[in-house]
Structures are given as C-alpha cells and as structure tokens.
Amino acid sequence: MIVVLTEKPSVARELAAYLGSNNRHTGYYEGKGYQVTWALGHLVGLCEPHEYDPALRRWSLETLPILPPTFKLALSGDTRANAQYKIVASLLRKATSIICATDAGREGELIFRNIARKSRSTAKPTQRLWLSSLTPSAIAAAFANLKPSRAYDRLAAAAQCRSQADWLAVSYTH
C-alpha cells in the first residue's frame, strides 16, 4: 500500500478524490492501492528542555546554555493531534512506499521528516509530491513529477537547523 501524507485534512480529501481513494476511515482515506492521511500540522516536534532534565522546568542563568546531546522528538501534547499521529504512524509503518505531500516548502518538509523519524519509517521508499495548487491539472502534473525524497534532503536539513536554532533561542528566553 502506498501512503500519501498531507499536512491538512482538506488537502488529503482532494488528493484522495483524485486518486480514487474514496473509502473514508478514521484519520485517512483508502482505495486503489493508496491510503491518504494528514498530519494536522506539527504532530511531532522537538522535546522541551524539561523533557531532557526535569530540573530544567525552571531554569536560571546558571543552567544556561541548555544544549541537549541530541535533539529528541516528542508528540505535540494535544489529544486530537496525538490520536491522529497514532493513525499516521501505523499507516507509515505498514506502507510499502510513502509519498510526502505536505506543504511545498521548508516547514512542510520538516513536518514530514519529523513524523517519519518519530514513527521509524525513514527506511521506506519515499517520494515527494511538490504541489502548490489543488486544481485537477496541478495535482496530475505533481503526480507525474514525483521525485525521490532525497532530492529534498538539503531543504530538510535547512528546516531541521532552523527548528533547532529556534529551540536554542527559546530555551534562553524562558
């Protein structure tokens, strides 16, 4: 089964209709060899400082800088988002291949890569659907031009760097 992961339910609905994946399930559409699901935005993000060390829940100047040995990922904390993550992760783990259809750009790439990492689905064959319009002709053109996700590794690296830099900046201002 090919899993298509979008960022928003409305995009999933449009892509599912295009692909003929008309069977609606909780958290995804299915049909014609595809499962089309969505991320509800940032389902997964970087752990907070206190998740590395409970003493960092309240920090002082003496605890700065806060530099984790590695950046770890955590679920968003929102009940609805966590339920959707469980659905997405299950689909990704069972997939034969994955199509990243999150928003075209750095944030969309980060959303997808974080979910793939957290769900341990990074070894699956993955392609990128670069889509900036939901017209039938734009969707058809995007599917005709799927690229291996490794073609977007630099974009993903830039997104990850920006995310980690923001984390470091925020941990200094709390």
Side-chain angles (χ1 to χ4, degrees):
M1 187 74 62
I2 300 169
V3 172
V4 179
L5 176 59
T6 71
E7 202 165 318
K8 303 173 193 80
S10 59
V11 177
R13 188 173 44 253
E14 294 292 328
L15 296 183
Y18 173 81
L19 295 168
S21 303
N22 300 318
N23 299 322
R24 178 76 160 88
H25 300 277
T26 301
Y28 69 101
Y29 298 92
E30 183 174 35
K32 297 196 175 180
Y34 291 93
Q35 292 173 318
V36 183
T37 188
W38 53 90
L40 295 174
H42 290 270
L43 295 179
V44 176
L46 297 176
C47 288
E48 295 295 325
H50 69 272
E51 293 174 284
Y52 294 97
D53 180 352
L56 294 174
R57 187 171 297 278
R58 291 178 132 336
W59 60 267
S60 65
L61 289 175
E62 291 77 36
T63 63
L64 296 178
I66 300 169
L67 300 169
T70 60
F71 283 95
K72 297 178 185 175
L73 296 173
L75 299 182
S76 74
D78 175 74
T79 304
R80 182 172 165 244
N82 290 350
Q84 183 63 19
Y85 169 79
K86 288 179 184 176
I87 293 165
V88 170
S90 176
L91 294 173
L92 291 176
R93 284 188 208 111
K94 295 174 188 172
T96 55
S97 66
I98 300 168
I99 297 174
C100 169
T102 52
D103 291 356
R106 186 174 65 189
E107 280 306 301
E109 196 66 26
L110 180 67
I111 287 169
F112 172 76
R113 300 287 179 115
N114 281 349
I115 291 169
R117 277 183 41 217
K118 182 74 174 165
S119 67
R120 296 187 173 111
S121 303
T122 57
K124 304 272 180 163
T126 305
Q127 295 178 297
R128 184 63 154 104
L129 181 80
W130 197 262
L131 186 65
S132 54
S133 170
L134 291 174
T135 64
S137 61
I139 294 170
F143 272 101
N145 290 301
L146 288 170
K147 291 188 172 34
S149 65
R150 68 181 172 276
Y152 297 90
D153 284 352
R154 289 182 178 181
L155 180 64
Q160 186 177 20
C161 286
R162 196 252 343 125
S163 176
Q164 291 173 354
D166 286 354
W167 186 97
L168 292 167
V170 170
S171 74
Y172 289 118
T173 60
H174 274 106

